[in-house]
Structures are given as C-alpha cells and as structure tokens.
Amino acid sequence: MNVLSPMRRVPASLLIGALALGLAACGGDQPNITDYPNTTFEHRTEFNAALDFLWDRLLLWGTIVFVLVEALLIYTIVKFRRREGGPEPKQVHGNTALEITWTVIPAIILVFIAIPTVRTVFQTQATVRADALQVEAIGHQWWWEFRYPQYPGLVTANELYLPVGRTVNFALVTKDVLHSFWIPRLGGKRDLISNRTNYLWFTPDSAFGEAALNGMCAEYCGDSHANMKFRVFVVAKGDFDSWAQHQMAVAVPHRPADSTASAAPATVGRAMTPSGAPVVLASQAGAVPPAPGAAPYTGWNKPLPAFVVPQTPVPAGLAWSAPAGDAERGKQLYSMSSCIGCHAVRGNPMSVGNIGPDLTHLASRHTLAAGLYPNDTKHLALWIKNARAMKPGSIMPTLGLGEYDPIMKAKVTTGGLSDQQIADLVAYMQSLK
Amino acid sequence: MATIAMPGRVEAAAPARPAEPTGVWSWITTVDHKRIGTLYLFTALFFFVVGGTEALVIRLQLMKPNMGIVSADMYNQLFTMHGTTMVFLVIMPLSAAFFNYLIPLQIGARDVAFPRLNAFSYWVYALGGVFITAPIFLSLAPNGGWFGYAPLTTTAYSPTLNIDFWVIGLQILGISSLAAAFNFITTIINMRAPGMHLMRMPIFTWMSFVVQFLVILAFPVITVALVFLLFDRFFGTNFYTIAAGADPLLWQHLFWIFGHPEVYILILPAFGLVSEVLPTYSRKPLFGYPVMVYSGILIGFLGFGVWAHHMFSVGMGPIADSIFSLTTMLIAIPTGVKILNWISTMWGGQIRFTTAMLFGIALVALFTMGGISGIMHSSAAADLQQTDSYFVVAHFHYVLFGGAIFGIFAGVYHYFPKMTGRFLDETLGKWHFWVFFVAMNLTFFPMHFSGLLGMPRRIYTYDAGQGWELFNMMASLGAFLQGAGMLIFFYNMWRSYRQPATAPADPWGAPTLEWTIPSPPPDYNFAKLPQVTSRYPLWDEKGREAMIQHRAGDRIPSAEELHIPMPKSTAKPFVVALFMTCMLASLIFLHVEGMATVGILATIAFALAMVGTLYSWLLSPLE
C-alpha cells in the first residue's frame, strides 16, 4: 500500500522543537522591550520575578519531557514502520515494570514543580507590608478608576502612577461585572469580583527606574472588553509625591496662550500629524520638561513610548469642524448640562456625579476612553460628540446634534450639542490640567 | 497468537443484500443505532462547518491590528458561538456518532438498550443546535463567552435576547446528552455478548463507558447553574443578582464543576478511538490494556477534583490555590501513562501509515504538547500570567483540536468503510492530514507566544506595536489552511460516495467484533450473537474462524429470513423532541415586547403536546 515516508514527519516536529527553544530564549531576564512591550517575562517586581522563576522551571521540565516523548515517538514510528515481508510482530500485551516506571517518573518530576508552586503561591499571597502604598482599583464597564486612600481626594481614571521602590497594595473591586487587573510586565492577574474585594501587591523594583507600561482588562466583560485598557507610569518617588499633591488639589484653570485650544497641554513631547495621529518626537523631549522646581510635576512628561500611544482609527462618518472654543463658556455649559449627572470635577460644586470618570485633572491624562484614543483636541471633541460611535457599548450618550446614536438607534435632535458648544466644552476640559 | 497475513487494505465486490428503506421519512423515523450514528456524524460535521466559519471570521478580524471586519458585538457573538458550537454541537456529537455506531457493534449487540430514546437524543440535539445557532443571523446570538460568567449574563448587564438563547439552548442540549448517557450505560452493562466480561471490552467502549458516567454526574450541575440563571432572567430570582448581594463565584464553581469533567467528556472518546487505531495498524495489541482502562477511569475520577484550576485568578486564597494545583498535576500521571502506552503499542510493531494511523499518531504528538502546557497552567502562581491570555487559547486548542478532533478523524478514516461500505481515498486523506497537521501548528503554536507576550483572549481588536502582529498573522493564515484541509476532506467524502462499495467485513485486519460483520452492517448487526473468548477475537487463532459472520461475496440475509425481531420505525421520538424543544424555545417570547402572553400560552400548549405524544410513545410497543 502507498506509504508516505515517515521521514516527512520529522521536519514538522523539528520545527516545533525549535520554536519551543525559541520560547525558552524568551525566558531570559532581558526581553526586547521595544519588540514585546507587554512581555510577562520581566523581573521588574518581586511578584513577577517569582512567577517567572516558576515559569522557567515549568519550561525546563516541559521542554525535557516534550523532547523525550516526541523523540521516542518519532524513533518508534520510523524504526517500526512496516516493511514488505516483515515478520508478524511479537504480541506484547504489556510490561508491569515499565508501566510502573513511567508512572513513578512523572510523579517525581511533578514534585519538582509542585514544591516551588506551593511556595510561590503562599509567598505571593502573603500579608502585605504595613507601609505599602494603598491603591483602590475599581473596574467599570469599560474603564478603570484609581483611588489612593492615603491621599484624600485623589481620584483618577485609566492612568495609574506608582512610585519606584515602594510596595503597592491594590484593593480590587468592581462596580458592575467581573474584570481582571493585568499589567503583564509587573505581574500576574487578579480578578475583580462583584461584591468582593481582592488584593494584589508588588514592588516596582528601583533597579529598573521609570517606565510607561500597558495595563488591561483580562476577563471578558462585554462589548468593549478589548477597549478597557489603562496606562501605568512608574515614576521616581519625588515625582510621585509631586503628582499626588497636584492631583489632590483642584485643577488650576490653565489656558493655552492663544486660547484656541488647538494644542492640548497633554501633548507635551508629542506632535500631531495633520490627520491627528500622534507621532512620538523624542527630539522635542529635551526642550519641554520644566526646570526643577519651576513647575509642579503634573504627570509623565517624557516622550511616550509608541506602544502606549493609542492608534484606534476614528470611526467612519465622524467629523470635526474645529471651531475655536472658549473655556469659560464651556464651563458654564458643562455646569448646566447633563454632564454633571455622571462626572465630577473637584472645584466645580455643580459637578459631583460618580458614574463616569472623575474629570478634575482630565487634561493631565494621556489617553481618553480607557486607553482607546490619545487625549487631544480632535479626539476629545469627537468623543463628546459621539462616544457611542467611538467606543462600542459606551454608557456615555451620543451628544452631538444630528449624530446617530448606535444604542438608541436614532439621531440626536433636540438638546444635541453643536460643534461650537463641543469646542467650548473641550476648551474647558483642557483647562483642567 | 495472530499469524494471519497482514493485509494493506482488502477490497471485495459488494455482496447482495436486502433493500434498505430510503427517503427523508426513513431517517426521521429510524431507531437503528447505525442510522442515528450517521445522522449524528453528518449533523455534527455541518455544525463543524458553522463553528469553523465563525473561527475564520474571528481570525480575519484579528489578522492585522485594528481591523474592521465585524463589530465588537458581532465579534463577541462569534467567539461565544465558536466555543459553544465546537464543544456542544461538534465534538460531543461527533463522539456520540461513534458511541451510537460502535458501542453495540463492539459489544456484539443488535442495538442500544433503548432505541427510541436514542432517536429522541439525536433529535433534541439537532433541534437544540438549530435553536442556539440560528440567532446569529439576527445578531442575537449568545455573547457572554462559552462559560457565560455571571453577572455579565444577568439581565442587568445583558438585557437582550442573546443570553436567553444560550441558557435555553444549553438546557435543551443537556437533555440530549443525559438521555444518551443513560442509554449507553444501560447498553454496555446489560447487552454485552456472552463471554465479553468487562476486561475483554474494546477500549473505545471502555472510554465511552467512563464518559457516560462523567455526563450523568457533570450535566446535572450545569443544569442547576442554568436553571438558576434562567429563573434570574425570566422570573426575577436573585441567584446571581449582584444588586441583591449575590456572589458571582457561585456560577464559576458550578460551571467548572461541570466544565472540567466536560473536557474529559470531549477527549476520552478520542483516546478510545486512537486506542483502536494504533493497535490495528501496528499489528499489536494495545500495550497495558488494564492500565489504559484504569487510567481512563482515574482521569474521569480526578476530573471532578480539579475544577477550580480555571479560577486561580479569582482570589480563592493560597490554600485552595495550592490544593487545586496539586490535584491538577496528579492528572498528568494517568495521562502520561496513556501517552507512553500508546508509543509502546507501536514499539516493535509493523506500522502501516494509513490516514487513520497518521491522525492517531498525531494525536499522541499534539496531545503531549497540550498536556505539557496544561501542567504549566496547573501551577497556580505561574498561571496568573497565563490565564485568560492567548496561552490558554493555544493550550486548549492543542488538547481539543490536536487531541479530540485529530482522534475523531482517525476514527472517521478507520470506520468509514465499516459505516458506508466505501473507502475514503488514501491519497486525498493524506493531503487532508498533512494540511491539517501543518495548519494546526501554524494556527495554535504562535498563540503560546502572543499570550505570554501579554495578549488577552477575547479582544476584538488590538493596536499595532504590541508585539503580537506576527503571531496573529501566522494564526490567521493557519486557520485558513485548516479550512482548505476540510475542503479536501469533504471532497474525499463526496468522491467516495460516487465510488462502488468495495469494503469487506474486515478491510484493515482489525481485531474486534465490529469487523466480523458486513460493511455496512445489516440492520440486525449480528446474524448470530457471538461468543467472546478473548479481547481481540479476530486476532485469536483458535477463535477467528468461528467469529467471522460474513465472508466476501456471500449474500446478506434479511432480518425476516433470520427471524430476528426488529424495533419498529417510529416518528414519535422526533415529535416529542420537537414539542419539547418548542416548549423551551417558546420561553423566548416572554422577553419579546408584547408577546409574553403568546409565550406563556405556547409554552403550555407545547408542554401538553409533548406529554401527550410522550404517552403515545410509551404505550406503543417497541417491536
């Protein structure tokens, strides 16, 4: 009968083996951050170092077992392939000694995995040190709220600042469905479970210095699960304190010199191409940061690495005529509109809503809509105009006059905002540095 | 010991045989386990195309960053239905096709214990499958993920009909599985041929036997979980209502107490098929038959003690995390024994590389891969970086595609001549195999990398520059290559259908009872009930001659000529299944604006109709 050469199996298996070895290479301490900016192999915290130590053991034993078993399999099918006129095989029904052997050997290997596993499980879930920074991470469909109970009034959204070298203890709660808190480069996940509080702690190692990282939701949570991201800024202790003091205070109205709000303060270190897509300009970085002591540290002011700059395309059909906005008019409009039903701006007594993100320091943030768009004039305006087109399932209603609301399945007519009104709101928002 | 010449593949002219009923009505009314098995096979292959198409759209959307092939909501429906379809409408029913077809043949019985219940199981499955699949055309398909975590699935967060279709659909499918499981357990315990004590039972039947117990122990748990959800959604109870203080971990525990044994429900039948295929084409008995039986039982037993390893990130505390880590690692031991016993089965053999054998060998190779990544998950702490990432997606596709689907294709190529009397073309079969083998690894191996490099599962889009583009592109190309493999397979089936029937009783030189009767078997299976004296009767020198029931060229007599009483064809199981499905489906109307009354009346009417036809069924004699 037509027998395909068993040797044909070998290349495929070799390929698998090679890839497994490639995977092993990724397990080193210095992965290429530029290529793999969300790697789980980084030893930036003691938490992730412990997990990665365990992973190395698993990979080592896994690779050994894989190579041995596949090699034995390939050897067997090559050596015992049918030959014309070959003898009838010896009818072996089993071999008790052999079978006991390969019951015992895996059991022994498992001991080498089980002991470090249990040790790491207890070590990573031990009681956190008393002087840890406390952060309350609150999941919402589909954004993150961060509160710092040791810094009264400090509430932010979708941007997490952590001081280098200080243990941080997260209290994880959700306002609605389940979510999962994941910063791949700092450690493993912990789920946010309704009606429960979970905890997770780790210490960003001072040896690694500052970093801008990605965080994300890892538990499917509905329509915009993919759009529930956040940014993590690990900064120097002094900068963190300065940032916290600034965030605790009410926003100081900050008006760009020409008051056209065409250049958002948050775009420090970046420039906009004509199409609105952000471009990272490393060369500008040196020019922009304030001299020490000259201005408070209000947030990450170094060039943003490309992997934390959102690239979501703007949905088709959304346009922005870019009229000049007035922050004062915007503040009045904001304070009388339905915005205040959901949003809080500390310092604006009318605005105490707690359904949507706290906007007190919106202009100090780098992204909008949970890491979905860069925080610039155009995207902020389009977001106010039609949040539901910008982000599937968004609770924030479509507000632009004549815009189609994909959830209500109707066009906004009465009460809708004109582009001029939106420009005023944007100007106000951008004054909330 | 066997000394018969080793055939490559034996062909013979088709024998004269009594005419069989044809036409759609004959299929609706059939109670013949072989015809029901065929129905299962083709229905499941149909849903395989549906679930595969869903996967292709998913892979198209993820091929490059920020693609706009489908909306976020449609993507969520697609991945939910891909999982639900492949688990409940494809792999389980493909296994059921083999349970139906093979168990009575392997144990020397004329049919299953309850032939009409068997038909009922099939029709409930087919109708339930249509019910849960059709809504995708209205953009109303389930969108809560295949494990439907509360509270996302509760009315507060999913007020539309999508989840209603899921809850009701899974309840319907569960009834099918439970009815079938009781049927097969009764069949295996009571209807084995004389002399076939349990340790002479073919290994596929053994694994099937274990699976049926898993079904009857696991499905009631998900039934309870779904009833809670159904009552929450339809009648305002608060099992999962967060606002009323519910603990969403109730759903997770209930689901995974079902869900993990479900994994073994999916894989053990494939293990059974491969344990028939490897000995046949190696010309050697299964190495360590008793250990293979015990390890199957042990896997099934341990499978109920590991469910919380799906929940290492929910914060159960270090003690629970450690215990479930250790129990999960234990499962590696019986599974590893199976792998090594399969290799030992081939060791010293005369291996014929038929398509069935290639698929069987590939199961051993690929399941090893999935098993090793499974051990990586079992380490609770390390799993915190793996769970809910693409690494998990890679793992369970190696287990369920490389394991279950490859095992099932081994079974399809091996048993196709038995079922149809026709061979699948071996050249096309090998093309199918190699395309599948390469495509499978191209699709799923890169997912290990994207997962460990931080890509969460179930995202409908991602930005460029996250380090995931290459792996996603590879996976998407692999997925389309898999589609090409399936086209080769379907072409092969169609081609075979047009060829003459040339398969004799035992074309492969296989050892068990199903190969002693004609291909395809007559409706009564065995003209005379066999007397079993060994595990491999056809390889038994002394017993062989006495076992063979049909010789090439002999005319096959009809049941009447042999005075064998046969169960009557009846449409009643179909009608009861139809009314039962309609009864549950009518609940949907309770959530359609202005249709609530219609829904209640329809539910009651269909319930009465179901009970009425059920009595009519029960009061009519079988034969």
Side-chain angles (χ1 to χ4, degrees):
Chain A
M1 100 165 289
N2 170 30
V3 173
L4 209 77
S5 163
M7 291 309 289
R8 295 261 299 269
R9 286 184 56 81
V10 175
S13 304
L14 282 180
L15 178 69
I16 295 178
L19 287 168
L21 291 175
L23 192 61
C26 288
D29 291 355
Q30 293 298 326
N32 190 336
I33 297 304
T34 323
D35 291 346
Y36 304 114
N38 306 302
T39 173
T40 60
F41 299 123
E42 208 170 12
H43 292 186
R44 198 176 270 276
T45 63
E46 80 283 44
F47 179 38
N48 212 30
L51 302 194
D52 194 45
F53 171 83
L54 207 48
W55 163 257
D56 287 346
R57 293 287 162 293
L58 292 165
L59 186 67
L60 174 72
W61 286 111
T63 309
I64 291 172
V65 172
F66 180 82
V67 169
L68 288 179
V69 170
E70 302 290 347
L72 181 65
L73 176 65
I74 292 166
Y75 177 80
T76 306
I77 62 176
V78 172
K79 175 151 172 71
F80 298 105
R81 66 189 186 276
R82 183 185 175 215
R83 293 180 175 86
E84 283 307 323
E88 185 70 10
K90 192 163 165 244
Q91 302 293 292
V92 181
H93 287 271
N95 182 324
T96 310
L98 262 181
E99 289 171 78
I100 290 174
T101 309
W102 60 56
T103 307
V104 172
I105 290 175
I108 293 171
I109 293 177
L110 287 174
V111 172
F112 286 101
I113 294 172
I115 290 173
T117 292
V118 174
R119 195 197 297 133
T120 311
V121 164
F122 277 88
Q123 179 192 328
T124 54
Q125 296 187 42
T127 311
V128 66
R129 51 192 294 161
D131 61 351
L133 172 69
Q134 303 290 335
V135 176
E136 207 183 350
I138 304 163
H140 299 259
Q141 279 180 321
W142 292 271
W143 59 282
W144 297 87
E145 178 180 350
F146 297 110
R147 292 174 175 268
Y148 293 70
Q150 290 147 327
Y151 297 84
L154 205 176
V155 186
T156 182
N158 306 321
E159 288 201 358
L160 177 65
Y161 278 75
L162 300 175
V164 165
R166 184 170 175 196
T167 303
V168 53
N169 183 38
F170 294 94
L172 303 164
V173 296
T174 169
K175 283 278 196 247
D176 38 59
V177 302
L178 310 189
H179 304 283
S180 191
F181 178 84
W182 191 25
I183 309 166
R185 278 164 70 185
L186 297 187
K189 305 165 194 75
R190 186 64 76 200
D191 294 354
L192 283 60
I193 310 285
S194 325
N195 292 335
R196 281 179 182 238
T197 304
N198 269 334
Y199 297 92
L200 183 76
W201 60 262
F202 51 71
T203 314
D205 194 324
S206 53
F208 284 87
E210 301 195 320
L213 311 166
N214 284 313
M216 53 196 87
C217 175
E219 183 69 86
Y220 174 63
C221 54
D223 274 2
S224 266
H225 163 56
N227 304 327
M228 187 171 166
K229 298 179 271 197
F230 59 101
R231 301 291 185 247
V232 186
F233 297 105
V234 181
V235 298
K237 268 186 176 147
D239 286 348
F240 176 80
D241 287 334
S242 178
W243 172 83
Q245 292 306 322
H246 177 75
Q247 291 280 322
M248 285 195 305
V250 300
V252 181
H254 167 99
R255 304 184 70 175
D258 60 1
S259 84
T260 59
S262 60
T267 55
V268 164
R270 285 184 294 148
M272 308 304 297
T273 59
S275 67
V279 171
V280 180
L281 288 183
S283 58
Q284 278 194 1
V288 182
Y297 181 87
T298 60
W300 185 266
N301 54 15
K302 297 192 180 64
L304 286 169
F307 57 82
V308 298
V309 179
Q311 298 155 20
T312 315
V314 170
L318 273 181
W320 174 236
S321 61
D326 180 85
E328 208 41 55
R329 280 207 310 265
K331 183 177 181 184
Q332 282 177 9
L333 176 61
Y334 173 87
S335 307
M336 294 186 310
S337 73
S338 57
C339 306
I340 56 175
C342 296
H343 293 288
V345 174
R346 276 169 282 134
N348 181 340
M350 302 298 291
S351 180
V352 292
N354 63 358
I355 293 170
D358 183 297
L359 301 178
T360 307
H361 291 281
L362 177 69
S364 74
R365 297 177 198 154
H366 298 81
T367 68
L368 292 171
L372 196 55
Y373 297 100
N375 185 6
D376 57 36
T377 307
K378 178 188 154 193
H379 287 98
L380 184 52
L382 290 176
W383 175 253
I384 296 171
K385 199 169 181 178
N386 197 342
R388 288 178 173 177
M390 296 279 278
K391 183 170 184 176
S394 169
I395 297 170
M396 168 129 165
T398 297
L399 296 171
L401 187 64
E403 287 294 314
Y404 180 77
D405 181 335
I407 293 180
M408 304 308 289
K409 304 211 186 304
K411 278 198 171 176
V412 176
T413 50
T414 45
L417 300 172
S418 67
D419 273 13
Q420 181 58 54
Q421 287 174 307
I422 292 172
D424 294 343
L425 285 172
V426 168
Y428 173 51
M429 290 294 117
Q430 290 183 334
S431 75
L432 300 173
K433 181 71 180 163
Chain B
M1 286 297 134
T3 51
I4 0 124
M6 230 179 350
R9 158 172 132 179
V10 179
E11 300 197 19
R17 58 170 63 230
E20 293 205 3
T22 52
V24 175
W25 188 246
S26 78
W27 288 96
I28 288 177
T29 58
T30 186
V31 293
D32 181 340
H33 71 98
K34 298 178 290 299
R35 293 189 134 217
I36 292 168
T38 308
L39 285 171
Y40 264 110
L41 179 66
F42 282 92
T43 313
L45 284 174
F46 166 75
F47 282 115
F48 195 40
V49 173
V50 172
T53 308
E54 287 158 356
L56 291 184
V57 180
I58 289 172
R59 283 318 320 171
L60 209 55
Q61 168 74 12
L62 294 181
M63 189 178 241
K64 289 196 230 164
N66 286 317
M67 295 277 270
I69 308 291
V70 289
S71 69
D73 180 51
M74 180 48 76
Y75 182 88
N76 295 339
Q77 295 181 31
L78 286 167
F79 81 69
T80 300
M81 284 313 297
H82 170 69
T84 304
T85 301
M86 290 305 188
V87 168
F88 295 103
L89 304 180
V90 178
I91 300 182
M92 284 182 75
L94 280 174
S95 304
F98 286 103
F99 299 157
N100 268 287
Y101 211 99
L102 289 183
I103 289 174
L105 300 187
Q106 287 203 324
I107 63 173
R110 294 228 161 98
D111 206 318
V112 294
F114 309 113
R116 294 182 296 188
L117 184 66
N118 202 20
F120 171 79
S121 296
Y122 166 74
W123 288 110
V124 171
Y125 152 63
L127 295 166
V130 170
F131 173 79
I132 203 168
T133 301
I136 201 154
F137 296 108
L138 304 169
S139 216
L140 281 174
N143 56 0
W146 90 271
F147 42 77
Y149 272 2
L152 182 61
T153 48
T154 58
T155 310
Y157 302 105
S158 295
T160 48
L161 295 179
N162 307 54
I163 301 294
D164 293 332
F165 281 108
W166 188 73
V167 177
I168 296 170
L170 287 197
Q171 289 290 39
I172 294 170
L173 295 169
I175 292 166
S176 162
S177 301
L178 280 168
F182 286 110
N183 204 347
F184 292 124
I185 287 176
T186 314
T187 305
I188 293 170
I189 290 180
N190 289 309
M191 299 178 68
R192 279 169 288 133
M196 180 174 282
H197 57 65
L198 284 177
M199 291 312 269
R200 280 184 191 154
M201 218 156 68
I203 198 82
F204 171 76
T205 299
W206 246 119
M207 291 303 110
S208 308
F209 194 44
V210 174
V211 164
Q212 308 315 322
F213 281 100
L214 297 186
V215 168
I216 62 171
L217 293 171
F219 268 76
V221 185
I222 192 178
T223 304
V224 168
L226 289 167
V227 165
F228 287 172
L229 185 57
L230 188 92
F231 272 62
D232 272 10
R233 291 185 65 86
F234 284 87
F235 308 118
T237 55
N238 290 320
F239 293 102
Y240 309 116
T241 310
I242 292 312
D247 185 344
L249 294 191
L250 172 66
W251 171 272
Q252 294 196 16
H253 282 293
L254 288 174
F255 186 88
W256 290 118
I257 289 172
F258 150 79
H260 202 79
E262 171 71 14
V263 175
Y264 299 109
I265 292 171
L266 298 172
I267 192 68
L268 286 179
F271 281 4
L273 286 169
V274 166
S275 301
E276 302 291 353
V277 166
L278 297 183
T280 299
Y281 301 104
S282 306
R283 269 325 279 175
K284 274 184 69 210
L286 187 66
F287 190 89
Y289 171 98
V291 172
M292 293 300 255
V293 170
Y294 298 142
S295 62
I297 296 171
L298 196 61
I299 289 172
F301 185 78
L302 287 174
F304 280 96
V306 301
W307 76 89
H309 69 210
H310 296 268
M311 301 164 58
F312 283 147
S313 64
V314 307
M316 294 181 296
I319 295 174
D321 284 356
S322 299
I323 289 171
F324 281 100
S325 276
L326 299 180
T327 55
T328 305
M329 289 175 189
L330 280 183
I331 288 199
I333 297 172
T335 316
V337 168
K338 276 190 177 292
I339 299 272
L340 290 167
N341 276 15
W342 282 324
I343 295 177
S344 306
T345 303
M346 292 184 275
W347 186 274
Q350 288 274 324
I351 299 171
R352 279 177 288 160
F353 293 96
T354 60
T355 307
M357 186 63 171
L358 290 175
F359 273 106
I361 294 168
L363 176 142
V364 180
L366 298 173
F367 190 84
T368 300
M369 185 78 205
I372 287 170
S373 55
I375 288 296
M376 291 169 171
H377 294 310
S378 77
S379 175
D383 185 56
L384 294 179
Q385 281 288 27
Q386 300 162 15
T387 184
D388 274 319
S389 80
Y390 260 84
F391 192 84
V392 178
V393 180
H395 159 72
F396 63 67
H397 280 98
Y398 267 87
V399 172
L400 293 181
F401 196 94
I405 291 290
F406 270 65
I408 285 165
F409 272 114
V412 167
Y413 280 92
H414 187 56
Y415 283 107
F416 197 83
K418 177 52 62 186
M419 292 170 143
T420 62
R422 293 174 167 83
F423 289 98
L424 285 168
D425 184 76
E426 280 288 306
T427 309
L428 284 171
K430 275 161 192 162
W431 271 100
H432 172 206
F433 169 77
W434 284 108
V435 169
F436 245 40
F437 185 80
V438 170
M440 188 276 168
N441 285 296
L442 183 60
T443 310
F444 300 117
F445 199 80
M447 291 183 184
H448 291 111
F449 297 88
S450 47
L452 291 171
L453 295 172
M455 181 164 171
R457 68 193 281 202
R458 299 177 162 186
I459 53 173
Y460 74 92
T461 191
Y462 56 95
D463 270 348
Q466 304 296 315
W468 308 331
E469 283 115 305
L470 173 67
F471 307 117
N472 278 292
M473 178 57 83
M474 289 167 79
S476 294
L477 295 177
F480 282 91
L481 202 54
Q482 288 181 37
M486 278 310 285
L487 290 179
I488 297 172
F489 171 70
F490 285 124
Y491 172 68
N492 200 352
M493 289 230 296
W494 178 78
R495 198 171 170 276
S496 154
Y497 172 73
R498 297 170 57 87
Q499 303 282 323
T502 56
D506 186 13
W508 310 116
T512 40
L513 284 184
E514 69 270 31
W515 305 102
T516 62
I517 54 177
S519 304
D523 50 1
Y524 49 83
N525 297 349
F526 294 88
K528 55 179 192 298
L529 286 186
Q531 178 77 36
V532 180
T533 53
S534 72
R535 211 172 271 160
Y536 295 113
L538 281 177
W539 285 356
D540 193 338
E541 204 176 338
K542 279 184 294 205
R544 178 179 163 79
E545 288 305 306
M547 297 307 298
I548 293 174
Q549 300 226 352
H550 182 259
R551 284 173 200 292
D554 287 5
R555 183 180 153 275
I556 299 168
S558 70
E560 290 80 27
E561 291 171 271
L562 293 167
H563 306 291
I564 297 171
M566 296 301 296
K568 272 192 262 188
S569 293
T570 168
K572 283 171 185 168
F574 167 73
V575 175
V576 174
L578 182 65
F579 284 144
M580 196 203 70
T581 308
C582 290
M583 171 186 81
L584 289 167
S586 302
L587 288 173
I588 288 285
F589 289 111
L590 294 181
H591 282 175
V592 179
E593 192 85 34
M595 298 283 275
T597 319
V598 176
I600 292 169
L601 292 176
T603 306
I604 294 171
F606 284 123
L608 292 173
M610 180 189 79
V611 173
T613 46
L614 187 59
Y615 269 95
S616 159
W617 161 4
L618 296 177
L619 294 175
S620 58
L622 178 64
E623 284 157 2

